[in-house]
Amino acid sequence: MPIGQLMKNLLKGLVFLFYFPIYLIQVAGGWLWNQVLDPALSWLMLRIVLPVWSWIWRFVLEPLWTYLFRIPGLWLWEKLLRPFLLFLWSYLVYPFFYYVLYLPLRLIWIYGLRGFYRHILLPVVNACRIAAAWLGRALAALWQFLVLRPLRWLWRTLIVRPAYWLYRTLLHPPLAWFRREVLKPIAGWFREWFR
């Protein structure tokens, strides 16, 4: 027997040795659940647990909940808490916020701060906005004339024009010759071959 076949059979034996007990447990457990436990538990739940729980809920817990918590809670809300909260809002909280906070602040705004805001603060803010826009345009013009234009001139004069001159005088003739004498004939040959 060749060594490859021997190794193959050895691996099959090891897989069978480890896999077969797991497979056996899985098949036995599935049969036990499907054939024995699931029908018994389903019957127990449907015939005993659910009817007993339904009876306990309907005749014990629901009346207990209704008479101990729900009815007294509704009575407490309707007769005590809601009128008390309405009284607090109507006679304490709303008057405090209206007469102590809102009305004085409104009077201070109408007779004190509104004139200052309209006649002093708004014109000052508008003048500051105009001055800031003018200053921004002046700084942009200075940046344009003092930095960007000289840099553009230096770029064109010192880098672009010499690079273009080098390309036209040193690189263009050899590249044009290479294209004309080498690439075009090769392309023509390929065109003729694959026509």
Side-chain angles (χ1 to χ4, degrees):
M1 178 181 295
I3 209 104
Q5 188 68 30
L6 183 66
M7 292 300 289
K8 183 178 172 184
N9 290 338
L10 183 66
L11 284 174
K12 281 183 181 179
L14 285 174
V15 166
F16 178 76
L17 184 67
F18 288 111
Y19 176 70
F20 182 71
I22 296 170
Y23 178 73
L24 184 65
I25 291 171
Q26 178 189 359
V27 168
W31 179 84
L32 183 66
W33 175 257
N34 289 332
Q35 301 298 324
V36 178
L37 294 176
D38 187 36
L41 289 176
S42 298
W43 182 86
L44 187 68
M45 286 296 289
L46 288 174
R47 303 289 182 206
I48 295 172
V49 174
L50 286 178
V52 168
W53 172 252
S54 176
W55 184 85
I56 289 173
W57 173 255
R58 179 178 289 166
F59 295 110
V60 176
L61 295 177
E62 190 176 19
L64 194 67
W65 166 258
T66 302
Y67 293 116
L68 283 180
F69 296 107
R70 190 169 155 260
I71 293 174
L74 287 173
W75 182 84
L76 278 173
W77 171 253
E78 289 293 326
K79 302 297 181 194
L80 293 176
L81 286 175
R82 189 167 175 238
F84 179 68
L85 292 174
L86 284 173
F87 170 78
L88 279 178
W89 173 255
S90 300
Y91 295 108
L92 294 175
V93 176
Y94 179 75
F96 172 77
F97 280 105
Y98 185 76
Y99 292 114
V100 175
L101 294 177
Y102 172 72
L103 219 61
L105 289 176
R106 185 162 189 259
L107 292 174
I108 289 171
W109 169 252
I110 290 173
Y111 295 111
L113 296 177
R114 187 167 55 181
F116 174 75
Y117 174 74
R118 274 191 188 161
H119 301 296
I120 295 171
L121 196 59
L122 278 181
V124 168
V125 168
N126 194 22
C128 289
R129 183 182 54 82
I130 292 169
W134 179 83
L135 184 64
R137 284 194 296 272
L139 288 175
L142 282 175
W143 176 260
Q144 179 81 20
F145 285 111
L146 294 179
V147 176
L148 288 181
R149 286 191 179 185
L151 283 176
R152 186 170 56 190
W153 180 81
L154 286 173
W155 171 260
R156 285 182 177 174
T157 306
L158 297 179
I159 295 174
V160 173
R161 283 185 188 152
Y164 183 70
W165 180 81
L166 283 174
Y167 169 74
R168 290 298 293 170
T169 57
L170 297 178
L171 291 176
H172 183 67
L175 290 175
W177 177 85
F178 183 75
R179 184 174 60 86
R180 185 178 62 246
E181 299 296 329
V182 175
L183 293 178
K184 274 192 174 182
I186 292 174
W189 295 340
F190 275 109
R191 197 177 307 122
E192 288 295 323
W193 289 346
F194 296 108
R195 197 175 269 198

